[in-house]
Short mmCIF file of all heavy atoms in Angstrom, two decimals:
data_model
loop_
_atom_site.label_atom_id
_atom_site.label_comp_id
_atom_site.label_asym_id
_atom_site.label_seq_id
_atom_site.Cartn_x
_atom_site.Cartn_y
_atom_site.Cartn_z
N ASN N 121 5.51 -2.75 -24.41
CA ASN N 121 4.85 -2.20 -25.58
C ASN N 121 3.94 -1.05 -25.30
O ASN N 121 3.78 -0.14 -25.98
CB ASN N 121 4.24 -3.22 -26.48
CG ASN N 121 5.10 -4.23 -27.03
OD1 ASN N 121 6.30 -3.92 -27.38
ND2 ASN N 121 4.78 -5.50 -27.09
N ASP N 122 3.25 -1.12 -24.09
CA ASP N 122 2.33 -0.13 -23.72
C ASP N 122 2.98 1.01 -22.98
O ASP N 122 3.65 0.81 -21.92
CB ASP N 122 1.38 -0.86 -22.75
CG ASP N 122 0.12 -0.02 -22.35
OD1 ASP N 122 0.21 1.24 -22.40
OD2 ASP N 122 -0.97 -0.63 -22.04
N PRO N 123 2.88 2.20 -23.61
CA PRO N 123 3.56 3.33 -22.91
C PRO N 123 3.07 3.67 -21.39
O PRO N 123 3.65 4.50 -20.75
CB PRO N 123 3.30 4.45 -23.83
CG PRO N 123 2.04 4.09 -24.51
CD PRO N 123 2.16 2.57 -24.69
N ARG N 124 1.87 3.11 -21.13
CA ARG N 124 1.42 3.43 -19.73
C ARG N 124 2.12 2.60 -18.74
O ARG N 124 2.08 2.91 -17.41
CB ARG N 124 -0.03 2.92 -19.70
CG ARG N 124 -1.10 3.80 -20.50
CD ARG N 124 -2.43 3.32 -20.52
NE ARG N 124 -2.45 1.92 -21.06
CZ ARG N 124 -3.56 1.21 -21.22
NH1 ARG N 124 -4.70 1.64 -20.62
NH2 ARG N 124 -3.49 0.02 -21.78
N VAL N 125 3.02 1.69 -19.16
CA VAL N 125 3.76 0.90 -18.19
C VAL N 125 5.09 1.39 -18.08
O VAL N 125 5.90 1.50 -19.10
CB VAL N 125 3.86 -0.68 -18.63
CG1 VAL N 125 4.72 -1.43 -17.70
CG2 VAL N 125 2.45 -1.28 -18.78
N LYS N 126 5.52 1.82 -16.90
CA LYS N 126 6.99 2.43 -16.57
C LYS N 126 7.72 1.42 -15.73
O LYS N 126 7.18 0.86 -14.80
CB LYS N 126 6.65 3.71 -15.94
CG LYS N 126 5.88 4.74 -16.67
CD LYS N 126 6.30 5.06 -18.01
CE LYS N 126 5.43 6.14 -18.73
NZ LYS N 126 5.70 6.40 -20.12
N LEU N 127 9.03 1.37 -16.03
CA LEU N 127 9.97 0.64 -15.25
C LEU N 127 10.88 1.51 -14.55
O LEU N 127 11.32 2.43 -15.08
CB LEU N 127 10.71 -0.38 -16.14
CG LEU N 127 9.92 -1.38 -17.00
CD1 LEU N 127 10.84 -2.01 -18.04
CD2 LEU N 127 9.22 -2.37 -16.23
N ARG N 128 11.00 1.18 -13.26
CA ARG N 128 12.00 1.94 -12.45
C ARG N 128 12.55 1.12 -11.33
O ARG N 128 11.96 0.15 -10.85
CB ARG N 128 11.46 3.36 -11.95
CG ARG N 128 10.36 3.29 -10.95
CD ARG N 128 9.84 4.65 -10.71
NE ARG N 128 8.76 4.59 -9.70
CZ ARG N 128 8.99 5.06 -8.45
NH1 ARG N 128 10.08 5.57 -8.07
NH2 ARG N 128 7.87 5.07 -7.65
N GLU N 129 13.66 1.54 -10.80
CA GLU N 129 14.38 0.94 -9.67
C GLU N 129 14.14 1.74 -8.37
O GLU N 129 14.40 2.91 -8.38
CB GLU N 129 15.75 0.77 -9.84
CG GLU N 129 16.52 -0.03 -8.75
CD GLU N 129 17.99 -0.31 -9.06
OE1 GLU N 129 18.78 0.75 -8.84
OE2 GLU N 129 18.36 -1.36 -9.65
N LEU N 130 13.49 1.06 -7.46
CA LEU N 130 13.25 1.70 -6.10
C LEU N 130 14.56 1.45 -5.28
O LEU N 130 15.08 0.43 -5.22
CB LEU N 130 12.20 1.09 -5.35
CG LEU N 130 10.71 1.14 -6.04
CD1 LEU N 130 9.59 0.66 -5.19
CD2 LEU N 130 10.40 2.71 -6.50
N PRO N 131 15.14 2.56 -4.62
CA PRO N 131 16.28 2.28 -3.83
C PRO N 131 15.99 1.56 -2.57
O PRO N 131 14.79 1.34 -2.26
CB PRO N 131 16.68 3.66 -3.50
CG PRO N 131 15.40 4.56 -3.54
CD PRO N 131 14.63 3.83 -4.70
N SER N 132 17.04 1.21 -1.81
CA SER N 132 16.73 0.47 -0.51
C SER N 132 16.03 1.49 0.34
O SER N 132 16.33 2.75 0.29
CB SER N 132 18.02 0.05 0.16
OG SER N 132 18.88 1.15 0.31
N ARG N 133 15.18 1.03 1.17
CA ARG N 133 14.38 2.01 2.08
C ARG N 133 13.81 1.42 3.35
O ARG N 133 13.73 0.17 3.34
CB ARG N 133 13.14 2.46 1.19
CG ARG N 133 12.23 1.41 0.77
CD ARG N 133 11.40 1.82 -0.53
NE ARG N 133 10.23 0.85 -0.73
CZ ARG N 133 10.48 -0.30 -1.35
NH1 ARG N 133 11.72 -0.64 -1.71
NH2 ARG N 133 9.36 -1.12 -1.56
N LYS N 134 13.75 2.25 4.31
CA LYS N 134 13.24 1.71 5.58
C LYS N 134 11.71 1.88 5.57
O LYS N 134 11.15 3.06 5.38
CB LYS N 134 13.75 2.43 6.70
CG LYS N 134 13.42 1.93 8.18
CD LYS N 134 14.03 2.63 9.18
CE LYS N 134 15.55 2.31 9.33
NZ LYS N 134 16.10 2.91 10.66
N VAL N 135 10.89 0.81 5.89
CA VAL N 135 9.57 0.93 5.65
C VAL N 135 8.85 0.34 6.96
O VAL N 135 9.20 -0.68 7.50
CB VAL N 135 9.03 0.08 4.54
CG1 VAL N 135 7.54 -0.12 4.52
CG2 VAL N 135 9.46 0.66 3.21
N ALA N 136 7.79 1.09 7.54
CA ALA N 136 7.05 0.58 8.67
C ALA N 136 5.85 -0.18 8.05
O ALA N 136 5.23 0.38 7.09
CB ALA N 136 6.58 1.75 9.51
N ALA N 137 5.56 -1.40 8.45
CA ALA N 137 4.61 -2.16 7.77
C ALA N 137 3.60 -2.67 8.85
O ALA N 137 3.87 -3.28 9.92
CB ALA N 137 5.20 -3.48 7.13
N TYR N 138 2.40 -2.39 8.50
CA TYR N 138 1.23 -2.79 9.48
C TYR N 138 0.36 -3.76 8.74
O TYR N 138 -0.24 -3.53 7.68
CB TYR N 138 0.43 -1.48 9.70
CG TYR N 138 -0.93 -1.71 10.56
CD1 TYR N 138 -0.87 -1.49 11.92
CD2 TYR N 138 -2.07 -1.94 9.93
CE1 TYR N 138 -2.00 -1.66 12.68
CE2 TYR N 138 -3.19 -2.14 10.72
CZ TYR N 138 -3.10 -2.04 12.12
OH TYR N 138 -4.36 -2.12 12.82
N GLU N 139 0.21 -4.96 9.26
CA GLU N 139 -0.52 -6.11 8.62
C GLU N 139 -1.87 -6.24 9.29
O GLU N 139 -2.10 -6.05 10.43
CB GLU N 139 0.25 -7.41 8.76
CG GLU N 139 -0.44 -8.63 8.06
CD GLU N 139 0.43 -9.86 8.20
OE1 GLU N 139 1.72 -9.72 8.53
OE2 GLU N 139 -0.12 -11.00 8.08
N TYR N 140 -2.94 -6.59 8.35
CA TYR N 140 -4.22 -6.79 8.80
C TYR N 140 -4.87 -7.79 7.76
O TYR N 140 -4.47 -7.77 6.56
CB TYR N 140 -5.09 -5.53 9.03
CG TYR N 140 -5.38 -4.82 7.75
CD1 TYR N 140 -6.71 -5.01 7.11
CD2 TYR N 140 -4.54 -3.84 7.16
CE1 TYR N 140 -7.10 -4.26 6.03
CE2 TYR N 140 -4.84 -3.15 6.01
CZ TYR N 140 -6.19 -3.41 5.39
OH TYR N 140 -6.46 -2.70 4.27
N SER N 141 -5.93 -8.43 8.28
CA SER N 141 -6.71 -9.34 7.38
C SER N 141 -8.05 -8.67 7.05
O SER N 141 -8.43 -7.63 7.61
CB SER N 141 -6.91 -10.63 7.97
OG SER N 141 -7.72 -10.60 9.16
N GLY N 142 -8.78 -9.29 6.13
CA GLY N 142 -10.24 -8.76 5.87
C GLY N 142 -10.34 -8.24 4.48
O GLY N 142 -9.40 -8.40 3.66
N THR N 143 -11.42 -7.49 4.24
CA THR N 143 -11.81 -7.07 2.89
C THR N 143 -10.81 -6.02 2.39
O THR N 143 -9.96 -5.45 3.25
CB THR N 143 -13.24 -6.56 2.92
OG1 THR N 143 -13.21 -5.35 3.61
CG2 THR N 143 -14.13 -7.58 3.52
N TRP N 144 -10.95 -5.70 1.11
CA TRP N 144 -10.12 -4.62 0.52
C TRP N 144 -10.89 -3.38 0.41
O TRP N 144 -10.46 -2.41 -0.32
CB TRP N 144 -9.71 -5.03 -0.91
CG TRP N 144 -8.75 -6.17 -0.88
CD1 TRP N 144 -8.00 -6.67 -0.01
CD2 TRP N 144 -8.43 -6.99 -2.00
NE1 TRP N 144 -7.26 -7.68 -0.33
CE2 TRP N 144 -7.48 -8.00 -1.65
CE3 TRP N 144 -8.94 -7.12 -3.35
CZ2 TRP N 144 -7.08 -9.01 -2.46
CZ3 TRP N 144 -8.43 -8.01 -4.20
CH2 TRP N 144 -7.53 -9.00 -3.70
N SER N 145 -11.93 -3.16 1.22
CA SER N 145 -12.78 -1.96 1.19
C SER N 145 -11.99 -0.71 1.58
O SER N 145 -11.04 -0.82 2.48
CB SER N 145 -14.02 -2.11 2.07
OG SER N 145 -13.69 -2.13 3.41
N GLU N 146 -12.40 0.37 1.11
CA GLU N 146 -11.67 1.64 1.43
C GLU N 146 -11.96 1.94 2.99
O GLU N 146 -11.09 2.49 3.66
CB GLU N 146 -12.18 2.82 0.56
CG GLU N 146 -11.42 4.09 0.85
CD GLU N 146 -11.82 5.14 -0.24
OE1 GLU N 146 -12.85 4.90 -0.96
OE2 GLU N 146 -11.07 6.16 -0.30
N SER N 147 -13.22 1.67 3.39
CA SER N 147 -13.63 1.96 4.74
C SER N 147 -12.71 1.22 5.73
O SER N 147 -12.19 1.80 6.76
CB SER N 147 -15.01 1.74 5.03
OG SER N 147 -15.27 0.29 4.78
N ARG N 148 -12.39 -0.08 5.45
CA ARG N 148 -11.66 -0.95 6.35
C ARG N 148 -10.27 -0.47 6.29
O ARG N 148 -9.49 -0.35 7.35
CB ARG N 148 -11.78 -2.35 5.99
CG ARG N 148 -10.80 -3.32 6.98
CD ARG N 148 -11.29 -4.69 6.83
NE ARG N 148 -10.50 -5.71 7.65
CZ ARG N 148 -10.75 -5.77 8.99
NH1 ARG N 148 -11.74 -5.18 9.53
NH2 ARG N 148 -9.93 -6.54 9.75
N TYR N 149 -9.63 -0.06 5.03
CA TYR N 149 -8.30 0.42 4.90
C TYR N 149 -8.18 1.70 5.70
O TYR N 149 -7.12 1.89 6.46
CB TYR N 149 -8.13 0.71 3.44
CG TYR N 149 -6.78 1.53 3.15
CD1 TYR N 149 -5.61 0.87 3.14
CD2 TYR N 149 -6.93 2.83 2.96
CE1 TYR N 149 -4.41 1.54 2.93
CE2 TYR N 149 -5.75 3.61 2.74
CZ TYR N 149 -4.49 2.96 2.68
OH TYR N 149 -3.34 3.58 2.50
N ASN N 150 -9.14 2.58 5.69
CA ASN N 150 -9.03 3.89 6.36
C ASN N 150 -9.05 3.58 7.88
O ASN N 150 -8.35 4.30 8.64
CB ASN N 150 -10.12 4.85 5.98
CG ASN N 150 -9.91 5.39 4.63
OD1 ASN N 150 -8.89 5.59 4.17
ND2 ASN N 150 -10.99 5.83 3.93
N GLU N 151 -9.79 2.69 8.31
CA GLU N 151 -9.82 2.38 9.77
C GLU N 151 -8.47 1.95 10.21
O GLU N 151 -8.09 2.38 11.27
CB GLU N 151 -10.87 1.32 10.05
CG GLU N 151 -10.97 0.83 11.38
CD GLU N 151 -11.89 -0.50 11.52
OE1 GLU N 151 -12.64 -0.77 10.59
OE2 GLU N 151 -11.72 -1.18 12.57
N LYS N 152 -7.87 0.97 9.53
CA LYS N 152 -6.64 0.41 9.93
C LYS N 152 -5.46 1.46 9.70
O LYS N 152 -4.56 1.51 10.61
CB LYS N 152 -6.38 -0.80 8.98
CG LYS N 152 -7.25 -1.98 9.16
CD LYS N 152 -7.32 -2.44 10.62
CE LYS N 152 -8.13 -3.56 10.82
NZ LYS N 152 -8.18 -4.12 12.26
N LEU N 153 -5.55 2.29 8.74
CA LEU N 153 -4.62 3.37 8.55
C LEU N 153 -4.54 4.33 9.63
O LEU N 153 -3.45 4.65 10.16
CB LEU N 153 -4.86 4.12 7.27
CG LEU N 153 -3.90 5.30 6.91
CD1 LEU N 153 -2.41 4.92 6.91
CD2 LEU N 153 -4.37 6.00 5.62
N ALA N 154 -5.74 4.64 10.19
CA ALA N 154 -5.86 5.55 11.29
C ALA N 154 -5.17 5.04 12.58
O ALA N 154 -4.47 5.61 13.31
CB ALA N 154 -7.32 5.92 11.64
N HIS N 155 -5.42 3.67 12.77
CA HIS N 155 -4.87 2.99 13.87
C HIS N 155 -3.29 2.91 13.87
O HIS N 155 -2.54 3.10 14.67
CB HIS N 155 -5.35 1.53 14.01
CG HIS N 155 -4.76 0.89 15.20
ND1 HIS N 155 -3.94 -0.22 15.05
CD2 HIS N 155 -5.02 0.97 16.55
CE1 HIS N 155 -3.55 -0.69 16.23
NE2 HIS N 155 -4.24 0.02 17.20
N PHE N 156 -2.89 2.56 12.52
CA PHE N 156 -1.44 2.55 12.17
C PHE N 156 -0.74 3.90 12.51
O PHE N 156 0.35 4.04 13.10
CB PHE N 156 -1.22 2.09 10.77
CG PHE N 156 0.18 1.99 10.35
CD1 PHE N 156 1.19 1.67 11.19
CD2 PHE N 156 0.51 2.06 8.94
CE1 PHE N 156 2.60 1.44 10.71
CE2 PHE N 156 1.73 1.82 8.39
CZ PHE N 156 2.77 1.54 9.28
N GLN N 157 -1.35 4.99 12.08
CA GLN N 157 -0.74 6.39 12.08
C GLN N 157 -0.64 6.67 13.61
O GLN N 157 0.33 7.37 14.06
CB GLN N 157 -1.56 7.33 11.37
CG GLN N 157 -1.44 7.17 9.88
CD GLN N 157 -2.42 8.12 9.13
OE1 GLN N 157 -3.49 8.34 9.55
NE2 GLN N 157 -1.98 8.53 7.91
#
């Protein structure tokens, strides 16, 4: 009912996934992202 919600199908895709624990802070995310890259 809400026009802000969109539905779509994502195709099959190859994804590299890096797992970590801890807080959801942007600083921790950026730290882990730099290591992942």
Side-chain angles (χ1 to χ4, degrees):
N121 290 326
D122 189 335
R124 295 174 295 178
V125 178
K126 308 297 182 185
L127 301 171
R128 69 186 179 105
E129 186 177 79
L130 303 182
S132 60
R133 61 207 191 279
K134 186 182 285 187
V135 171
Y138 176 94
E139 183 175 340
Y140 70 97
S141 62
T143 70
W144 293 341
S145 71
E146 185 173 14
S147 60
R148 184 166 180 80
Y149 169 82
N150 286 334
E151 173 192 345
K152 296 300 182 180
L153 176 60
H155 183 254
F156 183 24
Q157 290 172 328

